[in-house]
């Protein structure tokens, strides 16, 4: 699915380049909500945005990939290998699978959680060892963190996605207020406080 998004009643900013963000995880991790928070921030700051979603058997724990492109004159939502400025990986194996999409000077944020895929469970494949160590050798800037643990501390494991957005916010040129406003707009009121706490934990982790 591809979605074209334009800022509402605000002039488009003149951007030095198009920024590409790849969010990768498995079904149920909140990858799509995280991408909607990100696009909300970008639109509020005057960016043109295009977003695409790929659901690979998401309901069965398969890969979920969201591509977000923002800037001036964004004509396609597709990010090619070697073009992602940021990769936010919600699970280690997904980080490994998509690492080749990162630019040489890009930033990869990896949640250290492991979700064993069906192929491993049935013995048809093995889960790679030392993924994070390998990524840190291959990728210029790789930030690994236990987002699940921080989400538990905030009050709900499902807030892992917002923890990761907190980390991402420290590497992007958007005001923190814009991120917090996006949470207000995208998170149900009854879950807002714990997600605000999760976001703050992510921000602190990135410092």
């Amino acid at each position: 699915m591809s979605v074209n998004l334009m800022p509402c009643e605000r002039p488009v900013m003149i951007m030095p380049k198009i920024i590409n963000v790849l969010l990768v995880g498995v079904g149920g991790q909140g990858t799509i909500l995280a991408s909607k928070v990100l696009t909300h921030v970008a639109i509020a700051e005057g960016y043109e945005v295009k977003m695409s979603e790929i659901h690979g058997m998401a309901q069965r724990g398969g890969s979920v990939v969201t591509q977000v492109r923002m800037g001036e004159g964004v004509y396609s939502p597709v990010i090619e290998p070697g073009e992602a400025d940021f990769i936010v990986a919600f699970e280690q194996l997904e980080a490994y699978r998509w690492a080749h999409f990162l630019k040489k000077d890009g930033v990869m944020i990896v949640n250290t959680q492991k979700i064993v895929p069906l192929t491993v469970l049935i013995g048809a494949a093995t889960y790679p060892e030392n993924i994070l160590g390998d990524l840190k050798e291959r990728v210029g800037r790789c930030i690994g963190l236990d987002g699940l643990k921080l989400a538990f501390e905030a009050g709900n494991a499902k807030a892992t996605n917002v923890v990761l957005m907190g980390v991402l916010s420290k590497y992007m040129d958007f005001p923190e207020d814009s991120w917090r406003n996006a949470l207000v707009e995208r998170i149900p009121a009854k879950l807002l406080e714990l997600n605000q706490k999760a976001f703050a934990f992510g921000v602190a982790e990135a410092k």
Side-chain angles (χ1 to χ4, degrees):
M1 180 176 68
S2 174
V3 182
N4 295 337
L5 302 167
M6 292 289 291
C8 181
E9 297 181 358
R10 287 190 59 168
V12 175
M13 297 172 63
I14 303 300
M15 300 304 303
K17 65 172 183 175
I18 292 173
I19 301 171
N20 298 316
V21 184
L22 192 67
L23 300 97
V24 298
V26 301
Q29 286 193 292
T31 312
I32 305 302
L33 176 59
S35 68
K36 289 180 179 178
V37 169
L38 174 60
T39 56
H40 191 284
V41 172
I43 291 169
E45 291 301 311
Y47 287 56
E48 293 178 27
V49 180
K50 284 194 176 181
M51 180 179 75
S52 70
E53 303 167 5
I54 302 172
H55 304 258
M57 300 291 285
Q59 295 302 319
R60 299 184 184 181
S63 297
V64 178
V65 181
T66 305
Q67 303 177 72
V68 181
R69 307 189 72 222
M70 60 192 77
E72 182 182 19
V74 182
Y75 302 112
S76 168
V78 177
I79 300 173
E80 299 292 341
E83 289 190 353
D85 297 283
F86 302 94
I87 294 179
V88 182
F90 289 58
E91 192 272 343
Q92 286 196 45
L93 186 56
E94 293 303 315
Y96 205 58
R97 285 172 173 165
W98 293 91
H100 64 290
F101 273 73
L102 192 68
K103 287 181 176 178
K104 289 184 179 179
D105 59 347
V107 175
M108 174 175 274
I109 299 166
V110 184
N111 178 30
T112 56
Q113 181 180 2
K114 294 181 180 179
I115 299 177
V116 180
L118 180 61
T119 52
V120 173
L121 290 174
I122 64 175
T126 57
Y127 198 101
E129 296 182 3
N130 196 32
I131 288 177
L132 199 59
D134 188 33
L135 286 173
K136 287 184 176 180
E137 290 184 3
R138 292 168 52 192
V139 174
R141 301 180 73 185
C142 180
I143 299 95
L145 72 151
D146 191 343
L148 182 61
K149 178 177 178 289
L150 293 174
F152 268 121
E153 291 176 3
N156 193 321
K158 291 185 177 180
T160 302
N161 54 351
V162 178
V163 171
L164 296 175
M165 289 298 95
V167 178
L168 178 64
S169 75
K170 298 302 294 183
Y171 293 93
M172 298 192 77
D173 252 354
F174 296 136
E176 191 169 316
D177 283 349
S178 289
W179 290 92
R180 295 191 179 278
N181 290 339
L183 294 180
V184 171
E185 293 297 325
R186 292 293 182 176
I187 304 293
K190 65 181 180 180
L191 300 175
L192 180 59
E193 185 176 353
L194 76 86
N195 277 278
Q196 288 172 329
K197 186 182 294 185
F199 182 84
F201 285 168
V203 170
E205 190 73 15
K207 290 182 179 179

